Amino acid sequence: MDAITPAEVIRFWVDEVGPKGWYVQDDELDRTVRDRFMAAWIDAPRLAAEWTGTVAGALAALILTDQFPRNMFRNDARAFSTDPLALRIAGAAIKAGHDLATPEPARQFFYLPFEHSEELADQERAVELFAERMPGENLLHAQVHRDTIAKFGRFPWRNEALGRIPTDAERLVMEAGGYGALVSGKLSLADLP
């Protein structure tokens, strides 16, 4: 099998799957991502080192390390295992200006590693980046992620996959619908103990 290229990753994720498929749970899509990109994900540290010198390469490396594992390993700790690598790639790519050279909506993939971090400083950076460089609906999501980390120091919706014992307040979040309840306003973090 030929090596995966950045163009193939981008064509698949940005053009074939597109925004309508990025944030929905779809077992068939998850299987497709595993089948087509598992070998590349396993080789991600090497590929990232090769790819990140260009705008397209950095974007592809971020999709490979931050987006694909969430599909390949849904409800499994491995979904977050390349997050530290994605965060390093994103920081360097933003410093190089690769994010601003990438049109929306794909530009968000440079900022999502900060939004996926369970560190408050990274969350603050995600909100800042979305506010300054890609304002719109994504800003609300960045704010909810930041506020969740400010409240709990972690994402309650990852507890099961990571084998963490939820607090009573985290349990209330999950019983109300988790992340979706927070984004929709059905549940407010301010109302939790």
Side-chain angles (χ1 to χ4, degrees):
M1 184 171 131
D2 294 331
I4 296 291
T5 66
E8 289 173 83
V9 171
I10 294 168
R11 186 171 38 256
F12 172 75
W13 195 245
V14 176
D15 300 330
E16 292 177 34
V17 175
K20 289 184 180 180
W22 290 341
Y23 302 110
V24 296
Q25 183 171 346
D26 179 331
D27 293 340
E28 185 175 331
L29 175 61
D30 292 352
R31 271 191 302 281
T32 300
V33 173
R34 275 192 302 275
D35 292 347
R36 288 179 65 177
F37 299 102
M38 179 69 80
W41 179 81
I42 290 168
D43 201 20
R46 184 186 67 79
L47 291 175
E50 286 180 13
W51 292 355
T52 54
T54 67
V55 173
L59 175 60
L62 288 167
I63 293 167
L64 180 66
T65 58
D66 187 64
Q67 296 299 300
F68 285 174
R70 285 165 166 74
N71 289 86
M72 290 189 287
F73 307 115
R74 196 174 296 280
N75 302 318
D76 183 303
R78 292 174 293 174
F80 320 111
S81 63
T82 51
D83 283 6
L85 176 57
L87 201 55
R88 288 192 302 276
I89 294 166
I94 290 166
K95 188 174 182 180
H98 293 333
D99 61 320
L100 294 176
T102 301
E104 296 180 24
R107 182 181 300 166
Q108 68 188 289
F109 299 119
F110 290 89
Y111 311 143
L112 288 175
F114 297 97
E115 187 176 307
H116 291 154
S117 171
E118 289 189 322
E119 297 295 327
L120 187 56
D122 293 332
Q123 291 297 322
E124 294 291 356
R125 185 146 190 227
V127 169
E128 176 184 294
L129 287 165
F130 276 115
E132 292 177 3
R133 299 178 181 203
M134 197 177 160
E137 183 183 346
N138 290 47
L139 180 57
L140 168 66
H141 293 277
Q143 292 166 332
V144 170
H145 279 82
R146 179 205 52 206
D147 295 348
T148 301
I149 292 300
K151 176 78 172 176
F152 300 115
R154 62 190 191 176
F155 295 122
W157 42 89
R158 290 187 187 174
N159 286 345
E160 186 175 340
L162 294 173
R164 301 188 299 209
I165 309 269
T167 65
D168 290 341
E170 289 174 335
R171 200 172 286 110
L172 289 172
V173 169
M174 297 311 294
E175 289 170 359
Y179 178 70
L182 295 172
V183 170
S184 70
K186 176 181 171 186
L187 180 69
S188 170
L189 290 170
D191 295 336
L192 295 171

